[in-house]
mmCIF file of all heavy atoms in Angstrom:
data_model
loop_
_atom_site.group_PDB
_atom_site.id
_atom_site.type_symbol
_atom_site.label_atom_id
_atom_site.label_comp_id
_atom_site.label_asym_id
_atom_site.label_seq_id
_atom_site.Cartn_x
_atom_site.Cartn_y
_atom_site.Cartn_z
ATOM 1 N N ALA A 30 77.526 96.308 106.181
ATOM 2 C CA ALA A 30 77.717 94.993 106.780
ATOM 3 C C ALA A 30 76.387 94.486 107.314
ATOM 4 O O ALA A 30 75.611 95.245 107.856
ATOM 5 C CB ALA A 30 78.746 95.053 107.885
ATOM 6 N N CYS A 31 76.178 93.203 107.226
ATOM 7 C CA CYS A 31 74.948 92.592 107.729
ATOM 8 C C CYS A 31 75.262 91.274 108.427
ATOM 9 O O CYS A 31 76.229 90.610 108.048
ATOM 10 C CB CYS A 31 73.933 92.358 106.577
ATOM 11 S SG CYS A 31 73.301 93.860 105.898
ATOM 12 N N ILE A 32 74.363 90.881 109.352
ATOM 13 C CA ILE A 32 74.567 89.678 110.088
ATOM 14 C C ILE A 32 73.231 88.959 110.266
ATOM 15 O O ILE A 32 72.186 89.615 110.447
ATOM 16 C CB ILE A 32 75.231 89.965 111.467
ATOM 17 C CG1 ILE A 32 75.599 88.689 112.204
ATOM 18 C CG2 ILE A 32 74.336 90.851 112.331
ATOM 19 C CD1 ILE A 32 76.476 88.876 113.386
ATOM 20 N N SER A 33 73.271 87.671 110.236
ATOM 21 C CA SER A 33 72.120 86.827 110.506
ATOM 22 C C SER A 33 72.133 86.511 112.008
ATOM 23 O O SER A 33 73.097 85.862 112.499
ATOM 24 C CB SER A 33 72.146 85.543 109.692
ATOM 25 O OG SER A 33 71.222 84.594 110.215
ATOM 26 N N SER A 34 71.088 86.891 112.687
ATOM 27 C CA SER A 34 70.989 86.596 114.107
ATOM 28 C C SER A 34 70.775 85.086 114.330
ATOM 29 O O SER A 34 71.131 84.564 115.409
ATOM 30 C CB SER A 34 69.860 87.374 114.767
ATOM 31 O OG SER A 34 69.873 87.254 116.156
ATOM 32 N N GLU A 35 70.254 84.421 113.355
ATOM 33 C CA GLU A 35 69.966 82.999 113.502
ATOM 34 C C GLU A 35 71.218 82.134 113.475
ATOM 35 O O GLU A 35 71.379 81.234 114.296
ATOM 36 C CB GLU A 35 68.971 82.549 112.460
ATOM 37 C CG GLU A 35 68.476 81.105 112.572
ATOM 38 C CD GLU A 35 67.360 80.788 111.626
ATOM 39 O OE1 GLU A 35 67.070 81.607 110.762
ATOM 40 O OE2 GLU A 35 66.803 79.680 111.807
ATOM 41 N N ASP A 36 72.096 82.395 112.462
ATOM 42 C CA ASP A 36 73.253 81.538 112.389
ATOM 43 C C ASP A 36 74.603 82.237 112.400
ATOM 44 O O ASP A 36 75.647 81.645 112.301
ATOM 45 C CB ASP A 36 73.172 80.706 111.079
ATOM 46 C CG ASP A 36 73.196 81.530 109.808
ATOM 47 O OD1 ASP A 36 73.543 82.718 109.903
ATOM 48 O OD2 ASP A 36 72.873 80.997 108.725
ATOM 49 N N GLY A 37 74.553 83.599 112.556
ATOM 50 C CA GLY A 37 75.799 84.356 112.728
ATOM 51 C C GLY A 37 76.530 84.607 111.417
ATOM 52 O O GLY A 37 77.620 85.196 111.428
ATOM 53 N N SER A 38 75.954 84.215 110.293
ATOM 54 C CA SER A 38 76.629 84.496 109.016
ATOM 55 C C SER A 38 76.654 86.008 108.792
ATOM 56 O O SER A 38 75.812 86.759 109.279
ATOM 57 C CB SER A 38 75.941 83.784 107.874
ATOM 58 O OG SER A 38 74.582 84.153 107.793
ATOM 59 N N THR A 39 77.670 86.430 108.045
ATOM 60 C CA THR A 39 77.885 87.843 107.792
ATOM 61 C C THR A 39 78.097 88.134 106.337
ATOM 62 O O THR A 39 78.435 87.222 105.532
ATOM 63 C CB THR A 39 79.069 88.379 108.599
ATOM 64 O OG1 THR A 39 80.251 87.639 108.233
ATOM 65 C CG2 THR A 39 78.835 88.290 110.071
ATOM 66 N N TYR A 40 77.877 89.408 105.964
ATOM 67 C CA TYR A 40 78.152 89.899 104.604
ATOM 68 C C TYR A 40 78.778 91.280 104.782
ATOM 69 O O TYR A 40 78.352 92.063 105.638
ATOM 70 C CB TYR A 40 76.872 90.016 103.809
ATOM 71 C CG TYR A 40 77.058 90.777 102.507
ATOM 72 C CD1 TYR A 40 77.560 90.137 101.380
ATOM 73 C CD2 TYR A 40 76.798 92.115 102.443
ATOM 74 C CE1 TYR A 40 77.796 90.852 100.183
ATOM 75 C CE2 TYR A 40 77.015 92.844 101.289
ATOM 76 C CZ TYR A 40 77.478 92.200 100.144
ATOM 77 O OH TYR A 40 77.734 92.896 99.008
ATOM 78 N N TYR A 41 79.812 91.591 104.015
ATOM 79 C CA TYR A 41 80.463 92.895 104.021
ATOM 80 C C TYR A 41 80.519 93.440 102.611
ATOM 81 O O TYR A 41 80.807 92.724 101.663
ATOM 82 C CB TYR A 41 81.860 92.757 104.583
ATOM 83 C CG TYR A 41 81.905 92.387 105.998
ATOM 84 C CD1 TYR A 41 82.053 91.045 106.407
ATOM 85 C CD2 TYR A 41 81.838 93.363 107.021
ATOM 86 C CE1 TYR A 41 82.112 90.707 107.752
ATOM 87 C CE2 TYR A 41 81.869 93.004 108.353
ATOM 88 C CZ TYR A 41 82.013 91.651 108.697
ATOM 89 O OH TYR A 41 82.045 91.305 110.027
ATOM 90 N N ALA A 42 80.357 94.756 102.499
ATOM 91 C CA ALA A 42 80.590 95.402 101.231
ATOM 92 C C ALA A 42 82.110 95.389 100.937
ATOM 93 O O ALA A 42 82.923 95.379 101.916
ATOM 94 C CB ALA A 42 80.137 96.850 101.288
ATOM 95 N N ASP A 43 82.471 95.357 99.699
ATOM 96 C CA ASP A 43 83.935 95.284 99.360
ATOM 97 C C ASP A 43 84.671 96.478 99.945
ATOM 98 O O ASP A 43 85.878 96.364 100.278
ATOM 99 C CB ASP A 43 84.101 95.233 97.828
ATOM 100 C CG ASP A 43 83.666 93.941 97.239
ATOM 101 O OD1 ASP A 43 83.588 92.900 98.005
ATOM 102 O OD2 ASP A 43 83.446 93.870 96.045
ATOM 103 N N SER A 44 84.019 97.595 100.039
ATOM 104 C CA SER A 44 84.652 98.826 100.467
ATOM 105 C C SER A 44 85.117 98.802 101.902
ATOM 106 O O SER A 44 85.966 99.587 102.335
ATOM 107 C CB SER A 44 83.747 100.060 100.262
ATOM 108 O OG SER A 44 82.526 99.867 100.955
ATOM 109 N N VAL A 45 84.574 97.859 102.736
ATOM 110 C CA VAL A 45 84.897 97.800 104.156
ATOM 111 C C VAL A 45 85.506 96.455 104.546
ATOM 112 O O VAL A 45 85.897 96.270 105.696
ATOM 113 C CB VAL A 45 83.702 98.120 105.023
ATOM 114 C CG1 VAL A 45 83.092 99.476 104.641
ATOM 115 C CG2 VAL A 45 82.645 97.041 104.994
ATOM 116 N N LYS A 46 85.562 95.513 103.647
ATOM 117 C CA LYS A 46 86.008 94.192 103.955
ATOM 118 C C LYS A 46 87.418 94.232 104.531
ATOM 119 O O LYS A 46 88.307 94.889 103.971
ATOM 120 C CB LYS A 46 85.978 93.274 102.708
ATOM 121 C CG LYS A 46 85.607 91.864 102.967
ATOM 122 C CD LYS A 46 85.407 91.092 101.633
ATOM 123 C CE LYS A 46 84.008 91.356 101.113
ATOM 124 N NZ LYS A 46 83.735 90.521 99.924
ATOM 125 N N GLY A 47 87.665 93.579 105.668
ATOM 126 C CA GLY A 47 88.973 93.557 106.249
ATOM 127 C C GLY A 47 89.184 94.714 107.239
ATOM 128 O O GLY A 47 90.181 94.712 107.987
ATOM 129 N N ARG A 48 88.315 95.711 107.217
ATOM 130 C CA ARG A 48 88.440 96.853 108.142
ATOM 131 C C ARG A 48 87.294 96.929 109.130
ATOM 132 O O ARG A 48 87.510 97.338 110.294
ATOM 133 C CB ARG A 48 88.459 98.174 107.342
ATOM 134 C CG ARG A 48 89.611 98.265 106.359
ATOM 135 C CD ARG A 48 89.699 99.683 105.791
ATOM 136 N NE ARG A 48 88.477 100.044 105.003
ATOM 137 C CZ ARG A 48 87.749 101.102 105.258
ATOM 138 N NH1 ARG A 48 88.052 101.915 106.270
ATOM 139 N NH2 ARG A 48 86.653 101.374 104.494
ATOM 140 N N PHE A 49 86.122 96.522 108.754
ATOM 141 C CA PHE A 49 84.915 96.592 109.618
ATOM 142 C C PHE A 49 84.533 95.159 110.032
ATOM 143 O O PHE A 49 84.656 94.201 109.248
ATOM 144 C CB PHE A 49 83.754 97.228 108.889
ATOM 145 C CG PHE A 49 83.853 98.690 108.637
ATOM 146 C CD1 PHE A 49 85.075 99.382 108.800
ATOM 147 C CD2 PHE A 49 82.801 99.424 108.114
ATOM 148 C CE1 PHE A 49 85.183 100.737 108.546
ATOM 149 C CE2 PHE A 49 82.877 100.793 107.893
ATOM 150 C CZ PHE A 49 84.104 101.437 108.043
ATOM 151 N N THR A 50 83.969 95.070 111.273
ATOM 152 C CA THR A 50 83.477 93.790 111.758
ATOM 153 C C THR A 50 82.137 94.017 112.400
ATOM 154 O O THR A 50 81.992 94.846 113.274
ATOM 155 C CB THR A 50 84.452 93.167 112.797
ATOM 156 O OG1 THR A 50 85.734 93.041 112.220
ATOM 157 C CG2 THR A 50 83.938 91.840 113.277
ATOM 158 N N ILE A 51 81.151 93.226 111.976
ATOM 159 C CA ILE A 51 79.832 93.288 112.594
ATOM 160 C C ILE A 51 79.686 92.101 113.572
ATOM 161 O O ILE A 51 80.163 91.018 113.280
ATOM 162 C CB ILE A 51 78.696 93.242 111.516
ATOM 163 C CG1 ILE A 51 77.325 93.512 112.119
ATOM 164 C CG2 ILE A 51 78.727 91.959 110.715
ATOM 165 C CD1 ILE A 51 76.213 93.727 111.084
ATOM 166 N N SER A 52 79.056 92.381 114.718
ATOM 167 C CA SER A 52 78.908 91.308 115.700
ATOM 168 C C SER A 52 77.634 91.593 116.488
ATOM 169 O O SER A 52 77.037 92.665 116.411
ATOM 170 C CB SER A 52 80.103 91.233 116.640
ATOM 171 O OG SER A 52 80.258 92.460 117.345
ATOM 172 N N GLU A 53 77.189 90.594 117.289
ATOM 173 C CA GLU A 53 75.988 90.662 118.050
ATOM 174 C C GLU A 53 76.252 90.187 119.459
ATOM 175 O O GLU A 53 76.996 89.233 119.633
ATOM 176 C CB GLU A 53 74.894 89.832 117.402
ATOM 177 C CG GLU A 53 73.532 89.967 118.052
ATOM 178 C CD GLU A 53 72.440 89.171 117.289
ATOM 179 O OE1 GLU A 53 72.833 88.267 116.509
ATOM 180 O OE2 GLU A 53 71.272 89.438 117.499
ATOM 181 N N ASP A 54 75.605 90.777 120.429
ATOM 182 C CA ASP A 54 75.814 90.289 121.822
ATOM 183 C C ASP A 54 75.016 88.984 122.087
ATOM 184 O O ASP A 54 74.081 88.698 121.334
ATOM 185 C CB ASP A 54 75.373 91.375 122.821
ATOM 186 C CG ASP A 54 73.876 91.562 122.890
ATOM 187 O OD1 ASP A 54 73.236 91.421 121.885
ATOM 188 O OD2 ASP A 54 73.389 91.912 123.973
ATOM 189 N N ASN A 55 75.368 88.268 123.088
ATOM 190 C CA ASN A 55 74.768 87.037 123.384
ATOM 191 C C ASN A 55 73.286 87.142 123.737
ATOM 192 O O ASN A 55 72.479 86.243 123.505
ATOM 193 C CB ASN A 55 75.462 86.306 124.518
ATOM 194 C CG ASN A 55 76.825 85.806 124.145
ATOM 195 O OD1 ASN A 55 77.113 85.594 122.979
ATOM 196 N ND2 ASN A 55 77.737 85.698 125.115
ATOM 197 N N GLY A 56 72.865 88.305 124.261
ATOM 198 C CA GLY A 56 71.454 88.522 124.581
ATOM 199 C C GLY A 56 70.598 88.848 123.417
ATOM 200 O O GLY A 56 69.365 89.011 123.578
ATOM 201 N N LYS A 57 71.174 88.954 122.221
ATOM 202 C CA LYS A 57 70.421 89.253 121.000
ATOM 203 C C LYS A 57 69.659 90.568 121.111
ATOM 204 O O LYS A 57 68.514 90.711 120.642
ATOM 205 C CB LYS A 57 69.433 88.124 120.661
ATOM 206 C CG LYS A 57 70.061 86.756 120.645
ATOM 207 C CD LYS A 57 70.788 86.528 119.339
ATOM 208 C CE LYS A 57 71.274 85.099 119.204
ATOM 209 N NZ LYS A 57 71.991 84.858 117.958
ATOM 210 N N THR A 58 70.306 91.594 121.763
ATOM 211 C CA THR A 58 69.654 92.846 121.855
ATOM 212 C C THR A 58 70.418 93.993 121.208
ATOM 213 O O THR A 58 69.922 95.098 120.994
ATOM 214 C CB THR A 58 69.377 93.258 123.336
ATOM 215 O OG1 THR A 58 70.623 93.299 124.030
ATOM 216 C CG2 THR A 58 68.433 92.237 124.013
ATOM 217 N N THR A 59 71.731 93.765 120.990
ATOM 218 C CA THR A 59 72.599 94.788 120.481
ATOM 219 C C THR A 59 73.514 94.277 119.366
ATOM 220 O O THR A 59 74.072 93.159 119.541
ATOM 221 C CB THR A 59 73.422 95.409 121.597
ATOM 222 O OG1 THR A 59 72.582 95.859 122.642
ATOM 223 C CG2 THR A 59 74.256 96.618 121.062
ATOM 224 N N VAL A 60 73.665 95.021 118.318
ATOM 225 C CA VAL A 60 74.584 94.700 117.241
ATOM 226 C C VAL A 60 75.624 95.798 117.150
ATOM 227 O O VAL A 60 75.269 96.982 117.349
ATOM 228 C CB VAL A 60 73.809 94.542 115.923
ATOM 229 C CG1 VAL A 60 74.779 94.453 114.757
ATOM 230 C CG2 VAL A 60 72.899 93.310 115.941
ATOM 231 N N TYR A 61 76.853 95.379 116.967
ATOM 232 C CA TYR A 61 77.965 96.317 116.924
ATOM 233 C C TYR A 61 78.609 96.358 115.528
ATOM 234 O O TYR A 61 78.533 95.433 114.762
ATOM 235 C CB TYR A 61 79.037 95.899 117.944
ATOM 236 C CG TYR A 61 78.517 95.718 119.345
ATOM 237 C CD1 TYR A 61 78.154 94.465 119.829
ATOM 238 C CD2 TYR A 61 78.391 96.818 120.167
ATOM 239 C CE1 TYR A 61 77.687 94.343 121.148
ATOM 240 C CE2 TYR A 61 77.914 96.689 121.447
ATOM 241 C CZ TYR A 61 77.556 95.426 121.943
ATOM 242 O OH TYR A 61 77.085 95.300 123.218
ATOM 243 N N LEU A 62 79.209 97.498 115.273
ATOM 244 C CA LEU A 62 80.063 97.635 114.046
ATOM 245 C C LEU A 62 81.379 98.202 114.509
ATOM 246 O O LEU A 62 81.482 99.394 114.863
ATOM 247 C CB LEU A 62 79.411 98.524 112.988
ATOM 248 C CG LEU A 62 80.135 98.638 111.689
ATOM 249 C CD1 LEU A 62 80.113 97.262 110.948
ATOM 250 C CD2 LEU A 62 79.568 99.726 110.796
ATOM 251 N N GLN A 63 82.397 97.359 114.518
ATOM 252 C CA GLN A 63 83.745 97.785 114.816
ATOM 253 C C GLN A 63 84.412 98.301 113.537
ATOM 254 O O GLN A 63 84.523 97.531 112.572
ATOM 255 C CB GLN A 63 84.557 96.638 115.451
ATOM 256 C CG GLN A 63 86.022 96.987 115.772
ATOM 257 C CD GLN A 63 86.133 98.039 116.831
ATOM 258 O OE1 GLN A 63 85.444 97.976 117.867
ATOM 259 N NE2 GLN A 63 87.028 99.007 116.665
ATOM 260 N N MET A 64 84.817 99.553 113.550
ATOM 261 C CA MET A 64 85.385 100.116 112.363
ATOM 262 C C MET A 64 86.825 100.502 112.627
ATOM 263 O O MET A 64 87.091 101.346 113.472
ATOM 264 C CB MET A 64 84.570 101.374 111.936
ATOM 265 C CG MET A 64 83.107 101.076 111.768
ATOM 266 S SD MET A 64 82.204 102.517 111.140
ATOM 267 C CE MET A 64 82.404 103.696 112.512
ATOM 268 N N ASN A 65 87.745 99.911 111.894
ATOM 269 C CA ASN A 65 89.174 100.158 112.031
ATOM 270 C C ASN A 65 89.710 100.724 110.754
ATOM 271 O O ASN A 65 89.107 100.656 109.701
ATOM 272 C CB ASN A 65 89.914 98.858 112.335
ATOM 273 C CG ASN A 65 89.448 98.267 113.689
ATOM 274 O OD1 ASN A 65 89.084 98.942 114.628
ATOM 275 N ND2 ASN A 65 89.517 96.941 113.743
ATOM 276 N N SER A 66 90.912 101.318 110.830
ATOM 277 C CA SER A 66 91.594 101.891 109.707
ATOM 278 C C SER A 66 90.648 102.815 108.901
ATOM 279 O O SER A 66 90.500 102.713 107.653
ATOM 280 C CB SER A 66 92.107 100.800 108.765
ATOM 281 O OG SER A 66 92.974 99.943 109.457
ATOM 282 N N LEU A 67 89.986 103.717 109.590
ATOM 283 C CA LEU A 67 88.981 104.559 108.972
ATOM 284 C C LEU A 67 89.613 105.518 107.997
ATOM 285 O O LEU A 67 90.755 106.019 108.184
ATOM 286 C CB LEU A 67 88.218 105.312 110.067
ATOM 287 C CG LEU A 67 87.135 104.489 110.767
ATOM 288 C CD1 LEU A 67 86.744 105.104 112.094
ATOM 289 C CD2 LEU A 67 85.930 104.252 109.873
ATOM 290 N N LYS A 68 88.856 105.807 106.923
ATOM 291 C CA LYS A 68 89.285 106.698 105.883
ATOM 292 C C LYS A 68 88.333 107.818 105.736
ATOM 293 O O LYS A 68 87.159 107.713 106.145
ATOM 294 C CB LYS A 68 89.349 105.942 104.543
ATOM 295 C CG LYS A 68 90.120 104.667 104.554
ATOM 296 C CD LYS A 68 89.983 103.920 103.267
ATOM 297 C CE LYS A 68 90.752 102.598 103.239
ATOM 298 N NZ LYS A 68 90.517 101.842 101.964
ATOM 299 N N PRO A 69 88.743 108.974 105.187
ATOM 300 C CA PRO A 69 87.752 110.090 104.974
ATOM 301 C C PRO A 69 86.557 109.627 104.159
ATOM 302 O O PRO A 69 85.454 110.132 104.399
ATOM 303 C CB PRO A 69 88.593 111.084 104.213
ATOM 304 C CG PRO A 69 89.991 110.868 104.682
ATOM 305 C CD PRO A 69 90.125 109.366 104.880
ATOM 306 N N GLY A 70 86.744 108.695 103.275
ATOM 307 C CA GLY A 70 85.607 108.206 102.478
ATOM 308 C C GLY A 70 84.564 107.411 103.291
ATOM 309 O O GLY A 70 83.490 107.102 102.768
ATOM 310 N N ASP A 71 84.873 107.115 104.549
ATOM 311 C CA ASP A 71 83.936 106.414 105.440
ATOM 312 C C ASP A 71 82.975 107.415 106.096
ATOM 313 O O ASP A 71 82.066 107.001 106.812
ATOM 314 C CB ASP A 71 84.656 105.626 106.498
ATOM 315 C CG ASP A 71 85.471 104.453 105.915
ATOM 316 O OD1 ASP A 71 84.978 103.768 105.019
ATOM 317 O OD2 ASP A 71 86.626 104.281 106.384
ATOM 318 N N THR A 72 83.215 108.716 105.915
ATOM 319 C CA THR A 72 82.352 109.709 106.506
ATOM 320 C C THR A 72 80.946 109.616 105.970
ATOM 321 O O THR A 72 80.723 109.582 104.793
ATOM 322 C CB THR A 72 82.919 111.111 106.221
ATOM 323 O OG1 THR A 72 84.214 111.248 106.865
ATOM 324 C CG2 THR A 72 81.960 112.186 106.728
ATOM 325 N N ALA A 73 79.981 109.503 106.907
ATOM 326 C CA ALA A 73 78.614 109.279 106.523
ATOM 327 C C ALA A 73 77.725 109.228 107.792
ATOM 328 O O ALA A 73 78.265 109.107 108.888
ATOM 329 C CB ALA A 73 78.417 107.988 105.705
ATOM 330 N N VAL A 74 76.437 109.293 107.568
ATOM 331 C CA VAL A 74 75.509 108.911 108.666
ATOM 332 C C VAL A 74 75.317 107.382 108.556
ATOM 333 O O VAL A 74 74.989 106.874 107.491
ATOM 334 C CB VAL A 74 74.184 109.647 108.511
ATOM 335 C CG1 VAL A 74 73.173 109.170 109.617
ATOM 336 C CG2 VAL A 74 74.392 111.133 108.578
ATOM 337 N N TYR A 75 75.497 106.743 109.657
ATOM 338 C CA TYR A 75 75.377 105.285 109.716
ATOM 339 C C TYR A 75 74.073 104.895 110.393
ATOM 340 O O TYR A 75 73.760 105.403 111.462
ATOM 341 C CB TYR A 75 76.565 104.671 110.503
ATOM 342 C CG TYR A 75 77.824 104.641 109.691
ATOM 343 C CD1 TYR A 75 78.546 105.841 109.404
ATOM 344 C CD2 TYR A 75 78.369 103.462 109.188
ATOM 345 C CE1 TYR A 75 79.705 105.809 108.653
ATOM 346 C CE2 TYR A 75 79.518 103.426 108.453
ATOM 347 C CZ TYR A 75 80.179 104.585 108.166
ATOM 348 O OH TYR A 75 81.359 104.578 107.422
#
């Protein structure tokens, strides 16, 4: 998942669409990845 800090647009891989959400805090210092409905196939170093 990727996000544009300038306009907030996002892109998601098909494998995580609908399950993962990328977001950024208002201070533009931290980006989050909320991962729901996790599957064994999501196991990885992120």
Side-chain angles (χ1 to χ4, degrees):
C31 292
I32 187 168
S33 164
S34 188
E35 185 170 10
D36 63 14
S38 58
T39 57
Y40 168 84
Y41 294 94
D43 288 342
S44 57
V45 306
K46 215 172 278 185
R48 301 188 297 123
F49 290 11
T50 303
I51 189 170
S52 62
E53 186 177 18
D54 73 327
N55 290 334
K57 307 284 187 179
T58 61
T59 304
V60 170
Y61 304 98
L62 184 68
Q63 178 66 43
M64 306 186 295
N65 298 329
S66 301
L67 283 161
K68 306 173 182 179
D71 295 316
T72 295
V74 177
Y75 284 71

